Amino acid sequence: MHAVPLWKKLLKQNFSSIEKLMDFLELDSENRDKVLLKSSFILNLPIRLAEKIEKNSLDDPIGRQFIPLKEENKVGEDCKEDPVNDCTFQLSPKLLQKYQSRSLLITTSACAMHCRYCFRRNYPYETSKSDFDFEIESIKKSFSQKEVILSGGDPLSLSNEKLRGLLKELESLESIQIIRFHTRFPIGIPERIDDELIEILGGLSKKVVFILHTNHPKELDDELKLRLSHLLEKKITLLNQTVLLKGVNDSVNILEELSWKLISLGVLPYYLHQLDPVKGGSHFKVTEEKGKEIISELKKRVPGYLVPKFVREIPGELSKTIIL
Ligand code: SF4
């Protein structure tokens, strides 16, 4: 019998009780009053991220991303359950065909953490079927797909055994050149990038790209740097996407620091996303004008390759729309 990997043990220790988190963060009664005690999108927060949050504060940039607040109940006019119209691009609940040449697999509903602004927080995940037989067959039949994007949820929530099997099937698809992971998992539990995962990824014949999702320099640290260095040793390309979030990173100083810190970890800033108008996330909205100002100023401060593309997703468009 296999021993339970460290990352799974850490995942089990995540905060899921609001009461326990409020005690841990030493919130006073004024702050406790602002916390949302019940939500269908439950609290899920790794301990190492909780440890980075300033005590008795709801303004901490990490805390803001993960602590459910009553503000979530204010629904903005343009807010939707499915703000990017994922459901209209479903070939199955696990396969989205949004873009030419790229297929997107919803590999799992699970994540290492629950980000309150997540555009898939209301997505109707399929949990009854664990295989990807239909999805693999569909990609195979289309012949034209060059890249498979592993999304979710977070694809690194899958066990190494499950990932090994899935990647083996993707390896067998002739037209596929690139396997792309969209993941935030290592920010919460860097131990997820363990020896076995490195061995699996290093053994692939296809190009592997990781698009990390980090929003604030406080999320990056030495442990993450060490784990990412193992991916770089396997010639895996590391890019980052950030969501522009009010009270988290809507400042040029923070995005400048984020860009420098990312490159010191071997990661290139790729996208800065305008927030998708998801129900429950409208308190994170930053105007497009402010985003443009931030990017214009950022361009003066860092080399061009450290300026992320400022984009938003318009449902139905064949790629992200570049705002600036
Ligand atoms: S990790 Fe990604 S998919 Fe999961 S809740 Fe956060 S933003 Fe959403």
Side-chain angles (χ1 to χ4, degrees), residues 103-147:
S103 295
L104 190 146
L105 272 184
I106 303 281
T107 54
T108 169
S109 62
C111 293
M113 63 208 83
H114 280 174
C115 316
R116 307 312 300 175
Y117 54 85
C118 177
F119 71 93
R120 290 216 178 100
R121 56 180 282 170
N122 311 306
Y123 187 82
Y125 290 100
E126 176 170 283
T127 47
S128 60
K129 182 174 97 69
S130 68
D131 66 73
F132 296 96
D133 295 350
F134 170 82
E135 291 73 21
I136 300 283
E137 201 47 40
S138 300
I139 299 171
K140 193 175 181 178
K141 272 191 207 147
S142 85
F143 298 111
S144 59
Q145 300 302 294
K146 295 204 179 328
E147 183 180 45

Side-chain angles (χ1 to χ4, degrees), residues 253-268:
N253 289 342
I254 289 167
L255 290 182
E256 180 187 4
E257 192 187 338
L258 181 61
S259 281
W260 286 119
K261 230 170 162 182
L262 282 167
I263 196 65
S264 76
L265 270 61
V267 184
L268 275 174

Side-chain angles (χ1 to χ4, degrees), residues 93-256:
K94 288 181 172 187
L95 179 62
L96 306 187
Q97 198 59 63
K98 281 190 163 186
Y99 309 120
Q100 281 177 19
S101 76
R102 289 151 282 169
S103 295
L104 190 146
L105 272 184
I106 303 281
T107 54
T108 169
S109 62
C111 293
M113 63 208 83
H114 280 174
C115 316
R116 307 312 300 175
Y117 54 85
C118 177
F119 71 93
R120 290 216 178 100
R121 56 180 282 170
N122 311 306
Y123 187 82
Y125 290 100
E126 176 170 283
T127 47
S128 60
K129 182 174 97 69
S130 68
D131 66 73
F132 296 96
D133 295 350
F134 170 82
E135 291 73 21
I136 300 283
E137 201 47 40
S138 300
I139 299 171
K140 193 175 181 178
K141 272 191 207 147
S142 85
F143 298 111
S144 59
Q145 300 302 294
K146 295 204 179 328
E147 183 180 45
V148 175
I149 302 167
L150 303 183
S151 185
D154 195 312
L156 292 190
S157 302
L158 297 179
S159 67
N160 284 335
E161 190 191 355
K162 185 97 191 155
L163 266 180
R164 195 190 287 278
L166 174 60
L167 292 169
K168 198 174 164 205
E169 292 191 80
L170 295 175
E171 278 269 84
S172 72
L173 302 178
E174 248 177 71
S175 68
I176 297 299
Q177 296 177 13
I178 303 169
I179 299 174
R180 187 202 310 186
F181 286 78
H182 277 193
T183 182
R184 188 150 164 73
F185 211 110
I187 310 307
I189 303 180
E191 293 81 356
R192 175 65 190 93
I193 304 175
D194 60 11
D195 291 348
E196 191 181 2
L197 181 67
I198 297 293
E199 174 254 311
I200 294 169
L201 297 173
L204 295 174
S205 61
K206 314 273 185 191
K207 173 72 190 160
V208 179
V209 176
F210 264 56
I211 311 247
L212 298 166
H213 171 179
T214 69
N215 297 323
H216 192 278
K218 262 176 98 172
E219 295 167 29
L220 312 178
D221 55 34
D222 288 343
E223 182 63 32
L224 180 66
K225 183 175 183 172
L226 176 71
R227 302 285 170 158
L228 294 181
S229 72
H230 300 319
L231 296 177
L232 290 169
E233 280 161 20
K234 297 295 177 193
K235 309 257 181 299
I236 291 170
T237 299
L238 302 181
L239 303 171
N240 181 66
Q241 54 184 347
T242 292
V243 181
L244 184 60
L245 299 167
K246 187 172 174 184
V248 175
N249 57 14
D250 54 338
S251 119
V252 67
N253 289 342
I254 289 167
L255 290 182
E256 180 187 4

